Amino acid sequence: MQKADHAKVTAEQKAIWDDQAETYAELILSNDPGDHASKQVLDAITKHRQLAAGSRVLDLASSFGRPAVPLARELPHVSVISTDLSSVSAPLVQKYAAAQGVTNITAQAADAQNLADFSSNSFAAVTCSYGFMFMPDLDKALQEASRVLQPGGLLVATVWGEAENCQHAQAFQGFAKALMGPKFSLSPPWPLTDPHALKQHIQAAKFENVKCAEYSHNFQFQFDDFARFMVGPHGQFRPMLNKLQAAGNSNLYEQAPQVSFALQSIESFLQCAFMPWFCLPTKVTLPGCLPGFLHIM
């Protein structure tokens, strides 16, 4: 991908997350109170480093504040800076932090591929939970993380596991096919599932002592929340549906019965395909990372 393409994709991602950040925050906060993903990052930090009082931790691609807020809560002696490409995220982080009684955190917009606001050698640790896999210029993002880290600093990052083991993503595929037809193919972000390939990227950014561990955890979503996140006014498939409508392929938003039927079809798909993980008729439990990879540098 050329530099101009990186800029274009990044701008498109920013527009999407500016629109969807609040809906995503509501979905996760209401359906994943246990926050297992943040716990993996916290456990890695405490296992591999003892951060001194006053240390600074930079969290990349924070969205509404995970793992940034939990890290700040559990490490009150450090200062956490939460960053995200979307400018909408900072007030969501502040709201989440206030609800948790966390004060040792600040939030701002920043592109992980260009951390110009931050000096070199200024952070004891950098974290990124399920963020690097979305970045069009991964190598630049890793180089920037390396630049802002102090000598001997720690990078902890998580990415999704293989597609065939990620039922959470397969459910996204089910939504898309129910709404747009069986020929639709979703291309989710799995460029980093090969530990060997990822290790090469990390080492190219001058990181040493790279370790990788697998873990898994479940996501539980109320069906109506999941549906709203997919096809609601600020849902993940809204841009695609807008393009379909503009191209004359479907008049989805004026044909409510069609949308309703599609949603019923989706629920049937989920119940059929994921019955082993259903806790209640209206709740689907989706193993999110099987395996996931935790990268510690």
Side-chain angles (χ1 to χ4, degrees):
M1 189 181 294
Q2 300 298 316
K3 186 174 182 179
D5 295 326
H6 291 158
K8 179 182 178 181
V9 172
T10 299
E12 291 173 348
Q13 289 178 338
K14 182 182 184 305
I16 290 171
W17 282 108
D18 282 348
D19 181 63
Q20 298 178 1
E22 190 167 352
T23 299
Y24 177 70
E26 292 173 356
L27 175 77
I28 301 301
L29 286 172
S30 61
N31 288 278
D32 186 27
D35 191 14
H36 301 291
S38 293
K39 186 177 185 299
Q40 295 291 335
V41 175
L42 176 64
D43 288 350
I45 290 177
T46 55
K47 178 180 179 181
H48 293 277
R49 287 292 186 282
Q50 288 188 341
L51 299 180
S55 295
R56 302 171 76 214
V57 176
L58 178 66
D59 188 42
L60 306 174
S62 295
S63 185
F64 62 90
R66 286 187 177 176
V69 172
L71 289 178
R73 183 186 63 226
E74 299 300 322
L75 302 172
H77 61 290
V78 309
S79 297
V80 177
I81 299 179
S82 171
T83 64
D84 194 86
L85 182 63
S86 170
S87 57
V88 177
S89 294
L92 296 175
V93 173
Q94 293 163 354
K95 180 180 178 181
Y96 182 28
Q100 295 288 310
V102 172
T103 59
N104 56 321
I105 187 170
T106 59
Q108 67 179 78
D111 181 356
Q113 302 159 119
N114 180 13
L115 299 174
D117 288 348
F118 304 109
S119 302
S120 299
N121 309 320
S122 56
F123 291 94
V126 173
T127 58
C128 185
S129 183
Y130 306 127
F132 282 133
M133 59 196 186
F134 289 102
M135 297 176 190
D137 196 346
L138 170 64
D139 292 327
K140 179 62 175 175
L142 288 170
Q143 291 165 12
E144 282 290 88
S146 178
R147 179 185 65 80
V148 302
L149 274 171
Q150 298 166 351
L154 179 71
L155 171 64
V156 178
T158 56
V159 299
W160 290 354
E162 293 92 340
E164 61 269 21
N165 293 323
C166 192
Q167 282 78 18
H168 151 198
Q170 292 176 24
F172 280 39
Q173 181 89 333
F175 266 92
K177 287 184 176 180
L179 287 167
M180 298 174 224
K183 293 183 179 180
F184 179 84
S185 177
L186 180 66
S187 298
W190 275 284
L192 306 181
T193 57
D194 180 352
H196 177 71
L198 180 56
K199 187 175 182 178
Q200 289 182 322
H201 282 283
I202 294 168
Q203 291 175 330
K206 308 303 182 185
F207 285 101
E208 300 176 350
N209 301 319
V210 180
K211 297 179 177 64
C212 177
E214 297 183 4
Y215 75 98
S216 65
H217 68 269
N218 291 338
F219 294 101
Q220 289 188 332
F221 296 124
Q222 294 290 342
F223 177 76
D224 55 348
D225 289 342
F226 195 45
R228 182 163 53 87
F229 179 58
M230 289 292 94
V231 295
H234 303 284
Q236 287 210 329
F237 286 122
R238 191 72 177 212
M240 262 183 273
L241 295 175
N242 288 342
K243 289 180 180 179
L244 283 173
Q245 187 178 28
N249 293 346
S250 178
N251 198 17
L252 291 174
Y253 302 133
E254 293 181 7
Q255 297 180 17
Q258 179 182 345
V259 175
S260 176
F261 177 77
L263 289 176
Q264 291 173 16
S265 299
I266 293 164
E267 185 170 15
S268 298
F269 165 81
L270 288 173
Q271 289 175 341
C272 176
F274 302 112
M275 186 62 73
W277 296 287
F278 263 85
C279 296
L280 297 169
T282 58
K283 179 177 286 189
V284 60
T285 304
L286 304 174
C289 306
L290 299 174
F293 294 120
L294 179 69
H295 303 281
I296 307 165
M297 287 68 77

